[in-house]
Every structure is written in C-alpha cells, then in structure tokens.
Amino acid sequence: MPTAADLGAVTLTLKLASVTTLVLLLLGTPLAWWLARTRSAWKGPIGAMVALPLVLPPSVLGFYFLVSMGPNGPLGALTQWLGLGLLPFTFAGLVVGSVVYSMPFVVQPIQNAFEAIGEPALEAAATLRASPLDTFFSVVLPLARPGYLTAIVMGFAHTVGEFGVVLMIGGNIPDKTRVISVQIYDHVEALEYTQAHWLAAGMVVFSFLVLLALYALNPTGRRR
C-alpha cells in the first residue's frame, strides 16, 4: 500500500502540475499569439527557444537552472536583491523549472490553434467595430478552444512526469520538493519494489487516461 511519503509526493506533484499549467496558460497565450501572427525575423529564434526542451536533455536544463539560480548566478543574484532568497531546493524553484520545461507542450498547441483561425473571422469582427481585445476574447478564444484543451492536458501531464529537471533544481526534500518520479527512484534505489510498483502503475494508468482524454477532447485531430 502507498505510504504517507508516497501520498505526500502525489499531493506535491499535483500541486506543482496545477500551478505550472496555470502559469503557462497566462504566459503562453500572448507568446503563442505573437508567434502565430508575427512576421518578425525573431519568430524563428524565439520559436526554437520555446521548443528547445523537446530535444534538450532534462538534466542539462536542470543543471543550468541550478547554476543560474544559485548564489553566484544572475537569477540568484536577482532573487536575492528582490528579497526572495534563492530558488533552488524550493517549490518556487520547481515551478520555474517546470514552466520552462513544459512550455512547448502548452505554447505549440495554442499557437497551432491560433494559426488555424482564418483572417475572415478576424476581419468580420473588425467590420463590426469590435476592439482587438474584444475580438480576442469573443472570437479567437472560442475558436481556439481545442488547442487550449490539448495544451492544458499535455502541460499538466508533462509536468507530472518530470524527473531530471525537478531532481536537479529541487533535490529530494520530503513534502517540499520530492515529487512522484523522485519518490519512485527512491523506492527502486532502496529495493522497495512493491512501493515502486504502486506509484509506477499509477503513472501508467494516469498516462493512459491523459491520452484517452486528449483523443476524446480533440476528435478532429483523431480523424486526421
């Protein structure tokens, strides 16, 4: 049966995934809109930066986060100057690392949804004298709903499955930075295979349900 430490890891992981997904929706929406609409020469480099976590090893990303957010790093110096202290080995540090690591899984589906919206819909709103903000909330967001559903599901699930980044940034502090993936690693390292099976099997079921929900919420993509 799951132990108290296992349940603590599950609770912390769900909290981290929820906060990360919310932050990514707030930050990713304007970024995705800009990437979908701009003709700037910066679109390529910025789009590549957003997608970088897809190909970069998580341990590499986590290492550079740890260095930059440490006492001698630029982000560490900034957070100390702001009176926030150091972010490594804290929940806030996990959120920062998770936001960057899961960013392509949120930004890209939203960007694709924005790009699929044709100009006639925006032009029709403009002819009705709708302001850009009103057009975005009344026309763009409803049409981009499938992309947002995909982004929410994928961003949440990807954060739940993190290991390398959270281990490098957060370490292994019970009820503070120890998430499910780290807890499974601890059980395997201690040869506690029964406890590891409980959590690992739960992750398998969760992953299957995520993919099932993704197909159910996006029937158009399924037909394609």
Side-chain angles (χ1 to χ4, degrees):
M1 293 294 293
T3 64
D6 294 337
L7 296 178
V10 171
T11 301
L12 182 65
T13 302
L14 295 178
K15 177 182 177 182
L16 175 64
S18 300
V19 174
T20 298
T21 303
L22 178 60
V23 173
L24 278 171
L25 289 175
L26 294 176
L27 298 179
T29 294
L31 178 58
W33 179 251
W34 183 84
L35 288 172
R37 305 292 297 174
T38 187
R39 296 181 180 179
S40 170
W42 286 98
K43 178 178 180 178
I46 293 178
M49 288 293 294
V50 170
L52 194 60
L54 292 174
V55 296
L56 196 64
S59 56
V60 173
L61 188 62
F63 169 73
Y64 281 111
F65 267 121
L66 185 61
V67 171
S68 63
M69 293 192 298
N72 299 319
L75 291 179
L78 176 62
T79 55
Q80 290 183 94
W81 180 75
L82 293 174
L84 302 176
L86 296 174
L87 295 182
F89 310 111
T90 66
F91 181 78
L94 290 183
V95 172
V96 173
S98 299
V99 165
V100 175
Y101 187 51
S102 297
M103 183 169 290
F105 294 88
V106 173
V107 172
Q108 290 185 350
I110 298 176
Q111 179 185 346
N112 292 336
F114 286 161
E115 290 175 344
I117 299 174
E119 288 294 333
L122 302 180
E123 292 173 354
T127 58
L128 295 175
R129 298 183 180 180
S131 67
L133 194 61
D134 187 36
T135 299
F136 183 80
F137 283 100
S138 301
V139 178
V140 175
L141 285 185
L143 293 176
R145 180 175 174 270
Y148 272 93
L149 292 175
T150 300
I152 291 171
V153 172
M154 293 301 295
F156 188 92
H158 189 254
T159 304
V160 168
E162 289 177 346
F163 177 70
V165 171
V166 293
L167 183 62
M168 293 289 288
I169 298 176
N172 189 1
I173 305 174
D175 298 323
K176 190 174 181 181
T177 62
R178 183 188 291 172
V179 294
I180 292 177
S181 56
V182 177
Q183 182 73 0
I184 294 174
Y185 177 81
D186 283 350
H187 283 317
V188 174
E189 194 174 40
L191 302 180
E192 298 170 348
Y193 293 136
T194 301
Q195 291 88 339
H197 273 305
W198 278 103
L199 290 177
M203 290 294 291
V204 171
V205 173
F206 172 77
S207 301
F208 174 78
L209 292 177
V210 164
L211 293 176
L212 186 63
L214 193 59
Y215 276 82
L217 293 172
N218 191 11
T220 302
R222 183 180 60 204
R223 287 195 298 270
R224 290 177 183 174

